[in-house]
Amino acid sequence: MLNLVLFGPPGAGKGTQSARIIEKYGLIHLSTGDILRAELAEGTELGIQAKTLMDQGLLVPDEIVVGMISAKISVNPQAPGFIFDGFPRTIAQAQALDVMLKEKNTQISCMIALVVPDDELKTRLLKRGIETGRSDDNEETIVRRIKEYQDKTTPVADYYGQQQKLHSLQGTGSVDDIFDRIVSVIEALPA
Ligand code: B4P
């Protein structure tokens, strides 16, 4: 089973590259950001609670996102593998994911971390905010999201680094070039 964690700061291109990876490898895409936005679109209590935090650039509590991912894994018993996009974002989430996958007799194959300078992240997210109206893509929230990433999420890369599963890639350049770098990592994984 191929189980990938796609990692990086807000705006690094996780959602963008996930779409390509799914198309090539047929994995099930689990994006906690997308799941939370879908909850909000349906007007659920969870979605409404999450929006308040997301609009402040803060992380949603671990137990909520862990529960969401666990439910999605359970409803996909025949999956050839998963791509985790925007999850795990804390060490507690990473530990919970290891437990969930162990119960299925599988594990994370590798983490692919996209490295992008802060200035480029801000430019991308402000552009997306203008183009799509996404409410957390505004100047103040972006600064907060990048800080949350630095404070709470960067240790997750060390967690996978200690397991020799971390692959850091340059996340700037064309979407196609970045995708080629990702494919090179996946193709070099042990079968
Ligand atoms: P996410 O939805 O994960 O949002 P994101 O970090 O901004 O990444 P996204 O995948 O959308 O953007 P991408 O980099 O592809 O999270 C939103 C919020 O949800 C979080 O702030 C948090 O509150 C909450 N949340 C989600 N998961 C959570 C968790 N596990 N725990 C707690 N809270 C959680 O792309 C950004 C833009 O860059 C796009 O417009 C794209 O077109 C552009 N782009 C991509 N590649 C490019 C390239 N090579 N060159 C130029 N532009 C590029």
Side-chain angles (χ1 to χ4, degrees):
M1 218 173 165
L2 179 62
N3 295 309
L4 304 176
V5 173
L6 196 54
F7 187 79
K14 302 182 294 289
T16 306
Q17 294 298 333
S18 287
R20 300 288 186 97
I21 298 168
I22 296 153
E23 198 183 337
K24 186 169 172 72
Y25 294 100
L27 305 177
I28 300 287
H29 182 212
L30 298 182
S31 157
T32 36
D34 286 353
I35 300 169
L36 290 166
R37 283 185 287 276
E39 291 278 342
L40 178 64
E42 286 168 25
T44 67
E45 185 70 24
L46 191 158
I48 293 161
Q49 276 175 19
K51 181 175 166 48
T52 312
L53 293 163
M54 291 165 84
D55 281 351
Q56 293 175 72
L58 299 172
L59 293 184
V60 173
D62 289 336
E63 55 274 22
I64 293 183
V65 286
V66 167
M68 288 176 353
I69 288 287
S70 173
K72 295 283 179 188
I73 291 177
S74 300
V75 296
N76 284 290
Q78 306 301 331
F82 295 95
I83 175 160
F84 298 95
D85 162 8
F87 178 92
R89 262 175 156 99
T90 64
I91 295 286
Q93 292 179 20
Q95 289 168 336
L97 180 60
D98 277 351
V99 172
M100 282 181 241
L101 294 178
K102 201 167 179 194
E103 282 168 4
K104 285 179 66 72
N105 292 318
T106 185
Q107 58 178 327
I108 290 300
S109 312
C110 80
M111 166 186 268
I112 296 174
L114 299 172
V115 180
V116 179
D118 285 2
D119 284 354
E120 169 77 10
L121 299 174
K122 286 178 195 160
T123 304
R124 288 183 188 181
L125 294 172
L126 287 173
K127 182 165 176 269
R128 184 173 65 183
I130 292 164
E131 289 171 354
T132 68
R134 198 171 126 172
S135 61
D136 57 345
D137 284 342
N138 65 73
E139 187 102 40
E140 195 184 328
T141 307
I142 291 167
V143 170
R144 195 79 168 276
R145 283 158 68 191
I146 293 175
K147 186 165 184 334
E148 280 279 270
Y149 172 78
Q150 285 161 350
D151 292 348
K152 298 181 183 162
T153 305
T154 51
V156 177
D158 298 333
Y159 179 85
Y160 288 100
Q162 282 159 12
Q163 299 179 24
Q164 278 76 50
K165 291 181 178 174
L166 171 63
H167 298 264
S168 292
L169 300 179
Q170 185 190 334
T172 51
S174 76
V175 170
D176 284 346
D177 285 349
I178 298 163
F179 181 60
D180 288 345
R181 288 174 207 143
I182 292 173
V183 169
S184 301
V185 169
I186 295 173
E187 298 295 328
L189 290 172

